[in-house]
Amino acid sequence: MQTNRPFKFDSLQQQGNGSFDDQEPVTNVSNGYQGLSLDSEYLDDLQAWVQTLAKKESMIDSDMTMVQADIDRYLDVIAKLPNEYVYSPCIEAFIACSQEVGLLPACFLSTIQQCNELLVRLRQYCQTEHFREAVRIAEREADKRYRDYARYIDALFDRNDRIIVLRLDLSYQKIYTRQITLSKAMSDMERFLNNRRNNQLFKSNIGYILKTEYGIERGIHFHVLLFFNGSQRRGASHVHHAQQIGEYWCNEVTMGQGSYWNCNQNIEEFKMRGRCGIGEIHWSETDLRRHLRDYVLGYLCKLGQSFKPRQFSKARMIRRGAFPAEQQIRLGRPRNVK
């Protein structure tokens, strides 16, 4: 099936046990998806802010009060980002330019003059070949990865008539987020993946896609897609199945420190908005498969919350399972899309 470039959108996240009860979910009016007001949108908003403001040739006075408020808010965001990571080109540009005009690392409230200086410097910085090349590389890598992962999903459907798709966010409780290092989180995730071999929760698991991200409030967390053979598991139980896996992450893998979001619990809202790409999907349901690629996979391939450790730049922050083995002979009647 043809693969398209990923769409950008905010994630729909449903609170599960062990998640952050003190944070109020907000609804994104443009697409109806929910996110965490203090976490998932911050870095995405900052990236979009830099992209927009860097292209403006001039700013009228009436804009400056709002711009100043945005700058102060994003300075507070940047102050919470660990220095040991490298972020997207737009976020790195904001950090570098804020430092040049004296807004970082002290992170005092900005003045109108500093705001103007920052806007001018951002425009200049974003016109440099260094920045443009960094953006081209990041976008090219994201596009290449998206197409590869879309082929991976298509390959799974080529080998399976029905697939049950589970979408979870696996993270840590708020009281532990500052204690959890990347090494610790990656070790927990490695144990989670390795334990699939001997755990009945993962029986008939045929693949996965996993992305590691950093959020202001949640710290290091994982966006996870799990694929199961729908001919061997009950598709109607996908919500409960996702909940069981979330509880397994919280109580056993992380020894009580974990948190999770069960996106499958909101499948009816996805259906209502015509964006459902999770739950049980038959290989012939082309709309659901397109939604899985465009919206679910597209979200995982976005750049906003992407990061890499400075000392281990080749660490895999997004990965997938192996492509299924080629079938020499397909038995049974040929497939026909109705």
Side-chain angles (χ1 to χ4, degrees):
M1 300 178 66
Q2 183 179 356
T3 59
N4 302 314
R5 293 180 62 88
F7 289 84
K8 296 181 180 179
F9 64 99
D10 297 322
S11 66
L12 174 61
Q13 298 179 313
Q14 172 64 37
Q15 189 168 356
N17 291 345
S19 57
F20 308 131
D21 321 17
D22 57 333
Q23 298 184 39
E24 293 295 330
V26 295
T27 300
N28 185 313
V29 178
S30 64
N31 53 34
Y33 284 79
Q34 291 180 330
L36 289 178
S37 58
L38 295 179
D39 193 71
S40 61
E41 295 182 357
Y42 270 168
L43 297 182
D44 292 339
D45 284 353
L46 176 53
Q47 170 135 332
W49 187 90
V50 172
Q51 290 173 329
T52 300
L53 290 184
K55 297 177 181 178
K56 289 192 175 182
E57 298 298 329
S58 62
M59 296 292 295
I60 58 175
D61 292 340
S62 59
D63 288 330
M64 291 311 300
T65 299
M66 295 181 59
V67 171
Q68 185 178 17
D70 285 338
I71 289 175
D72 289 340
R73 182 161 56 100
Y74 293 134
L75 287 172
D76 184 61
V77 169
I78 293 302
K80 297 176 181 177
L81 293 179
N83 293 327
E84 62 263 33
Y85 304 136
V86 177
Y87 304 93
S88 71
C90 287
I91 292 174
E92 289 290 331
F94 182 86
I95 294 173
C97 294
S98 296
Q99 290 172 340
E100 289 185 18
V101 301
L103 289 172
L104 288 176
C107 201
F108 295 118
L109 293 177
S110 62
T111 65
I112 295 295
Q113 179 180 353
Q114 287 174 314
C115 289
N116 279 309
E117 291 175 357
L118 177 59
L119 292 175
V120 170
R121 186 65 193 105
L122 268 175
R123 294 188 202 105
Q124 294 173 344
Y125 189 96
C126 292
Q127 295 302 313
T128 64
E129 185 57 31
H130 169 77
F131 175 80
R132 289 180 172 180
E133 180 62 16
V135 171
R136 283 195 294 267
I137 291 174
E139 291 179 345
R140 186 164 59 243
E141 289 179 350
D143 184 69
K144 180 180 179 181
R145 185 181 301 113
Y146 170 81
R147 294 178 184 278
D148 175 66
Y149 284 33
R151 286 193 296 269
Y152 171 67
I153 291 174
D154 285 343
L156 293 178
F157 277 103
D158 285 343
R159 310 300 189 275
N160 299 272
D161 287 338
R162 292 190 303 277
I163 293 179
I164 300 171
V165 182
L166 305 186
R167 168 72 172 84
L168 297 101
D169 287 352
L170 304 179
S171 54
Y172 297 87
Q173 294 179 47
K174 191 174 182 179
I175 59 174
Y176 300 114
T177 53
R178 296 190 180 278
Q179 306 172 22
I180 302 298
T181 64
L182 179 60
S183 176
K184 160 66 174 170
M186 296 295 264
S187 176
D188 285 345
M189 180 50 64
E190 205 63 37
R191 184 161 60 255
F192 175 86
L193 294 175
N194 289 338
N195 288 355
R196 291 177 301 154
R197 302 185 184 96
N198 304 310
N199 191 316
Q200 285 298 307
L201 284 177
F202 298 95
K203 182 180 179 181
S204 305
N205 178 232
I206 58 175
Y208 72 91
I209 294 175
L210 163 70
K211 186 180 184 185
T212 309
E213 289 191 348
Y214 183 86
I216 301 303
E217 293 294 323
R218 282 192 293 172
I220 297 168
H221 57 278
F222 303 95
H223 297 299
V224 182
L225 271 177
L226 294 170
F227 303 96
F228 291 85
N229 186 330
S231 298
Q232 299 175 7
R233 297 199 72 112
R234 291 184 64 247
S237 302
H238 67 90
V239 175
H240 180 61
H241 189 193
Q243 178 183 345
Q244 288 180 305
I245 292 177
E247 297 292 343
Y248 170 69
W249 165 264
C250 292
N251 300 326
E252 298 191 39
V253 177
T254 66
M255 304 298 290
Q257 295 182 331
S259 171
Y260 74 97
W261 295 80
N262 179 4
C263 295
N264 284 63
Q265 189 164 334
N266 292 81
I267 191 170
E268 294 305 321
E269 184 169 350
F270 279 105
K271 290 178 178 179
M272 181 178 65
R273 299 183 181 280
R275 296 190 173 203
C276 182
I278 57 177
E280 184 177 30
I281 301 177
H282 191 270
W283 71 269
S284 65
E285 294 176 303
T286 55
D287 285 345
L288 297 184
R289 291 177 60 178
R290 186 178 69 252
H291 296 163
L292 172 59
R293 292 196 314 272
D294 291 349
Y295 301 121
V296 185
L297 178 60
Y299 176 74
L300 266 62
C301 290
K302 67 183 177 63
L303 295 174
Q305 296 182 60
S306 299
F307 76 105
K308 290 183 179 181
R310 293 186 187 277
Q311 295 184 344
F312 305 98
S313 59
K314 294 186 178 180
R316 293 190 301 166
M317 296 293 102
I318 181 169
R319 53 179 169 158
R320 57 164 174 75
F323 267 79
E326 292 285 345
Q327 290 184 345
Q328 299 298 323
I329 300 177
R330 180 179 294 279
L331 302 177
R333 295 191 308 178
R335 289 174 163 183
N336 293 309
V337 179
K338 295 182 180 180

